[in-house]
Amino acid sequence: MGYVSTIGSIDRVLAGLDSAEGIDDLQALSERIRDEYGITNVVYHWVNSNGDQYGCGTYSEAWVLRYLERKYVRIDPVILGCYQRFHPVEWKRLDWSSRAARGFLADAIEHGVGNQGYSIPIRGPNGQFALFTCNDSCDDATWADFIERNRRDMILLAHDFNRKALDLEPDRTPDRAVTLSPREVDALTLLAVGYSRAQVASTLSISEHTLRVYIESARHKLGAVNTTHAVARALQRGAIVV
Amino acid sequence: MIRYIYGTDLVRHPRLRDGMFRDRADQFVTRLGWDLPLRPDGAEVDQYDALDPLYVIWEKADGSHGGSMRLLPTTGRTMVNEHFTDLIGGGTIVSPLIWECTRFCLARETDPRTAAALMLAGGEVMHGFGVEHYVGVFDARMVRIYRRIGASPEVLGTTGEGRGAISIGLWEFTPEAQARVAQSAGIAPDQSRRWFDDAFGRTPLRAAAASAA
């Protein structure tokens, strides 16, 4: 898988996320991410402060039912290791040494869950907590290489996925408009009119390093995949005017 | 040694916890004169400590607190976005790739290499968790210290003067910067990684490398 095709993947997925209009679309998107990145499973799960749960993903129905029936949430090392954290977790870094955990893993693998996983916990607003997981069956070196190449995509996808899920919540107050900071607006505006990064930085009297942070923050707020996309979205939404 | 401890787990490290909050009071209130409320027991604890941050702590050989810093994701509430937006030109900095680093604190009698060790640990976090930048709040005195250990931030803005000055800065960690900081800290990269693995678990590849070594 080349660099170019990976960029294409996240681009396509984020475009799909943007146009998602309901929970069913999120299910389809989890399948899409799985296929774009060529892995076994993609799973998204969230709990809010009222204890309401929602999940979608590519685990088999049999596994989801089994998980619930066996109340695996109590012993699942991924849940125990991620809950209320905010750093991404490699499954193999977790403690699988207990008998219960080993039995759980064997059962999971029997139900089509891969032996490798990377889970990204997200602390949302008002006590909301979500977990975005990519999962595959492969050896350690292959997985380490996959994560090395795709970790950034997965972190960005996880957060954008969660934002979309929050937006689609039934009782949600209308979507907050994207508010870019004055410096983010300046940076995107100058990029939109064709300034190079170096020219933007010098015009704003900041370093290119600082400029990168403003662009990244704007990109995240706009749910964009890269700088070009962020500029296009900012224009589309009227967040910048040129 | 370096410890990485989430807020909810501080209860299992009472000595480090109490030392950290006491040393923060000593640094920010007693020495720098910042107007921060203290708890009746003299601890400097603020609302961001209640958000279950990740603390990076230098534990001295005798088990006491030698220095620390506090990390929070900028996708949640942060001090910079709630109190210092005027210093960053208005607005907020928000991204899953950017974390906030605040309350960088050194105990009075700590090991001379504490600041470098903390910055080295900050680099481990970036490398291990895909963080690309820190945005941080720091006091004027730190400017010189950061420069000395080879990890100068880019200053976005400063308020106040002299010892009371507070700045917002940005860090990124190039491999070269990380190597400089490791040297200032006098800590071998392997050792630094081991402390990180002790906190967050070891990957099988690192386990294999370690057993082969």
Side-chain angles (χ1 to χ4, degrees), chain B residues 28-202:
Chain B
F28 297 112
V29 177
T30 308
R31 284 183 278 159
L32 295 170
W34 290 10
D35 182 22
L36 302 174
L38 296 183
R39 259 187 354 206
D41 64 357
E44 190 277 300
V45 179
D46 71 11
Q47 52 177 322
Y48 301 98
D49 292 303
L51 299 177
D52 196 9
L54 176 60
Y55 297 96
V56 179
I57 300 176
W58 176 253
E59 180 182 333
K60 297 201 291 195
D62 67 1
S64 64
H65 172 259
S68 51
M69 60 189 186
R70 179 176 70 184
L71 305 178
L72 278 167
T74 60
T75 47
R77 292 184 50 207
T78 62
M79 187 184 259
V80 167
N81 287 342
E82 293 181 352
H83 294 279
F84 293 101
T85 70
D86 50 327
L87 289 190
I88 51 174
T92 55
I93 290 177
V94 181
S95 162
L97 305 175
I98 304 170
W99 289 10
E100 179 183 74
C101 173
T102 55
R103 291 293 190 261
F104 194 105
C105 160
L106 299 173
R108 266 182 209 239
E109 315 262 296
T110 194
D111 310 306
R113 290 168 166 178
T114 303
L118 289 171
M119 294 307 282
L120 182 65
E124 292 291 349
V125 167
M126 287 178 134
H127 182 255
F129 299 146
V131 178
E132 296 183 356
H133 292 90
Y134 289 124
V135 55
V137 180
F138 57 95
D139 58 274
R141 185 186 65 131
M142 290 309 302
V143 173
R144 190 173 44 82
I145 295 176
Y146 290 141
R147 190 183 314 130
R148 181 164 52 73
I149 63 182
S152 284
E154 185 150 329
V155 177
L156 298 186
T158 301
T159 179
E161 286 180 3
R163 289 195 322 156
I166 300 174
S167 296
I168 303 296
L170 282 178
W171 283 264
E172 65 173 351
F173 260 120
T174 59
E176 299 77 48
Q178 186 73 358
R180 276 200 306 275
V181 171
Q183 197 161 19
S184 305
I187 294 169
D190 278 359
Q191 175 64 72
S192 170
R193 216 156 292 143
R194 222 157 21 242
W195 289 330
F196 184 84
D197 289 349
D198 285 347
F200 299 109
R202 185 172 276 203

Side-chain angles (χ1 to χ4, degrees), chain A residues 84-90 92-94 116 118 122-123 140-141 144 151-152 155-156 159 179-184 206-214 216-221, chain B residues 6 8-9 51-54 71-73 75 88-99 127-130 132-133 154 156 170-172 196-197 200-206:
Chain A
Q84 297 299 12
R85 299 317 201 202
F86 52 82
H87 66 273
V89 172
E90 286 254 23
K92 292 249 167 134
R93 280 187 185 265
L94 297 166
Q116 305 283 1
Y118 194 72
I122 302 158
R123 291 179 179 177
D140 295 338
R151 176 171 68 175
R152 190 176 194 275
I155 292 172
L156 298 180
H159 283 263
T179 15
L180 297 180
S181 75
R183 288 196 188 166
E184 287 161 4
I206 57 177
S207 73
E208 286 192 54
H209 172 189
T210 302
L211 176 65
R212 280 223 303 286
V213 167
Y214 289 131
E216 165 48 29
S217 180
R219 185 211 56 74
H220 173 72
K221 290 175 187 171
Chain B
Y6 272 96
T8 45
D9 297 330
L51 299 177
D52 196 9
L54 176 60
L71 305 178
L72 278 167
T75 47
I88 51 174
T92 55
I93 290 177
V94 181
S95 162
L97 305 175
I98 304 170
W99 289 10
H127 182 255
F129 299 146
E132 296 183 356
H133 292 90
E154 185 150 329
L156 298 186
L170 282 178
W171 283 264
E172 65 173 351
F196 184 84
D197 289 349
F200 299 109
R202 185 172 276 203
T203 65
L205 293 181
R206 275 197 205 168

